[in-house]
Amino acid sequence: MNKHQKIYIAGHNGMLGSALHTSLKANGFTNIITASSATLDLRNQKNVLDFFEKEKPEFVFIAAAKVGGIMANKTYPAEFIYDNLMIQNNLIHASYINKVDKLLFIASSCIYPKFAPQPLSEKYLLTAELEPTNEPYAIAKIAGIKMCEAYRNQYGCNFISIMPTNLYGTNDHYDLQNSHVLPALLRKFIEAKRSNYPQVVLWGSGTPLREFMHVNDCADACIFLMKNYNDAEFINVGVGQDISIFDLALLIKKITNYDGEIIFDTTKPDGTPRKLMDIQKLQKLGWQHSIDLQQGIKSTYHEIKEMDFTLANH
């Protein structure tokens, strides 16, 4: 992938897609193509095929997806499976039809079995039942990985898949009904501090363990793997360290200088007990994350501390 080859980022307005766009430009790539959802509905096969026929991208990053937290997955299961299947099916097939040099499909760590051994090795995929709260999304992402493998096996396509851990950072979503845990906590503590609330109420028991990666690190890993990884098996992308939701809440409380109380509502679901990625394959290739959790949350906090969160609900 040289600096002048045509690179298409599907989902360039999303958190990871925008980080990819920024990182590619910063690294001197000059021929990046994008299309917003307003101009290209990735769920429409004809529109996607027409776009690829016209633009002829040589490299494709599939960062486009419908994403959300536990409540969003529970509320919109049909959209999570339909939209994600249609988006990735159309992009992968159009890449094959138009002889794309290489494609990178971005899956999600939530597709591992709910009680898989820790840390999560690539070999644990499809070895047990999924977490019920995000099963439709997980099934769609598993289908994307298997589709890349099938097109590689049948047609010789250099389509690779990555499995990133939980991401946070610039351009994250802060709608409390649909966001992931870290941005939701940031918003709750910022709003509690603004309004002098005596306590912050958080979902679940606080005991689940989660791994968090700054989106800029993930974008860097995507570009590294597009350049250096060509195997059929998908590869985990993470930092190799996790933290309990309780300790995460304490860290965010400290960073936001909130002095109230933290209450955990145990009537709400916890989700998967633990999700830590086994990143030995990635480390053996020579890649390592550079942004630690405290540093990343601090930078994110300074980006959003003045945000009008009422706009995040629309």
Side-chain angles (χ1 to χ4, degrees):
M1 187 171 70
N2 67 46
K3 308 287 186 182
H4 305 293
Q5 287 181 290
K6 186 174 277 192
I7 302 167
Y8 170 46
I9 305 171
H12 75 287
N13 284 324
M15 180 168 62
L16 181 51
S18 60
L20 268 170
H21 198 191
T22 300
S23 185
L24 284 166
K25 288 195 294 184
N27 281 280
F29 291 91
T30 58
N31 200 0
I32 304 167
I33 56 172
T34 59
S36 69
S37 57
T39 59
L40 177 62
D41 183 353
L42 295 175
R43 298 168 299 179
N44 184 302
Q45 185 182 60
K46 183 181 185 304
N47 290 354
V48 173
L49 286 170
D50 288 347
F51 175 80
F52 271 71
E53 178 63 30
K54 176 186 175 185
E55 297 290 349
K56 293 294 184 185
E58 296 167 89
F59 291 84
V60 174
F61 290 92
I62 301 183
K66 181 175 179 62
V67 298
I70 290 175
M71 180 56 72
N73 277 270
K74 184 178 179 181
T75 307
Y76 308 109
E79 290 176 34
F80 272 91
I81 194 165
Y82 178 84
D83 287 359
N84 284 301
L85 282 172
M86 295 301 288
I87 288 167
Q88 65 204 34
N89 288 354
N90 292 337
L91 289 168
I92 293 168
H93 188 66
S95 295
Y96 155 65
I97 292 293
N98 288 277
K99 297 180 172 56
V100 164
D101 289 354
K102 191 172 182 181
L103 175 147
L104 185 146
F105 173 70
I106 298 164
S108 166
S109 61
C110 74
I111 74 177
Y112 280 114
K114 180 173 183 176
F115 297 110
Q118 302 289 323
L120 295 163
S121 169
E122 288 89 351
K123 67 184 179 182
Y124 297 146
L125 185 66
L126 294 175
T127 57
E129 292 184 1
L130 299 166
E131 160 59 44
T133 56
N134 60 16
E135 186 180 78
Y137 175 78
I139 287 173
K141 287 296 184 177
I142 292 169
I145 289 172
K146 293 301 178 182
M147 190 170 179
C148 286
E149 291 177 2
Y151 275 60
R152 173 185 288 269
N153 292 338
Q154 185 169 343
Y155 302 123
C157 300
N158 191 5
F159 293 173
I160 65 171
S161 299
I162 71 160
M163 188 88 80
T165 191
N166 301 294
L167 303 180
Y168 71 97
T170 306
N171 285 340
D172 208 341
H173 295 287
Y174 295 92
D175 176 350
L176 291 179
Q177 295 301 313
N178 298 319
S179 65
H180 290 98
V181 60
L182 197 154
L185 293 189
L186 266 172
R187 173 173 172 173
K188 284 192 172 189
F189 279 99
I190 291 171
E191 290 188 319
K193 184 183 177 185
R194 287 177 187 171
S195 303
N196 293 313
Y197 293 150
Q199 61 187 32
V200 169
V201 179
L202 305 179
W203 276 31
S205 65
T207 59
L209 295 160
R210 292 291 181 269
E211 177 183 15
F212 298 99
M213 179 182 219
H214 195 280
V215 68
N216 290 353
D217 271 339
C218 189
D220 185 69
C222 287
I223 296 168
F224 174 86
L225 291 167
M226 185 67 100
K227 292 178 177 179
N228 297 290
Y229 186 72
N230 298 290
D231 292 353
E233 186 181 39
F234 69 89
I235 185 167
N236 287 339
V237 173
V239 300
Q241 302 166 349
D242 58 7
I243 185 173
S244 72
I245 300 302
F246 178 79
D247 287 336
L248 176 67
L250 291 178
L251 178 59
I252 293 175
K253 178 182 177 180
K254 177 183 176 183
I255 289 170
T256 57
N257 293 312
Y258 174 69
D259 57 8
E261 186 181 8
I262 300 173
I263 304 292
F264 282 93
D265 180 359
T266 56
T267 66
K268 295 295 192 295
D270 272 338
T272 303
R274 191 183 190 196
K275 286 198 304 182
L276 176 65
M277 308 292 275
D278 182 339
I279 56 169
Q280 291 183 72
K281 283 179 63 177
L282 182 62
Q283 289 176 327
K284 286 177 182 176
L285 289 171
W287 189 87
Q288 183 72 36
H289 77 283
S290 62
I291 304 170
D292 69 44
L293 185 60
Q294 183 166 328
Q295 172 193 358
I297 294 175
K298 276 184 178 179
S299 67
T300 305
Y301 168 63
H302 288 296
E303 286 176 7
I304 68 164
K305 63 181 180 180
E306 306 299 333
M307 178 184 286
D308 180 357
F309 289 114
T310 59
L311 300 177
N313 296 325
H314 303 287

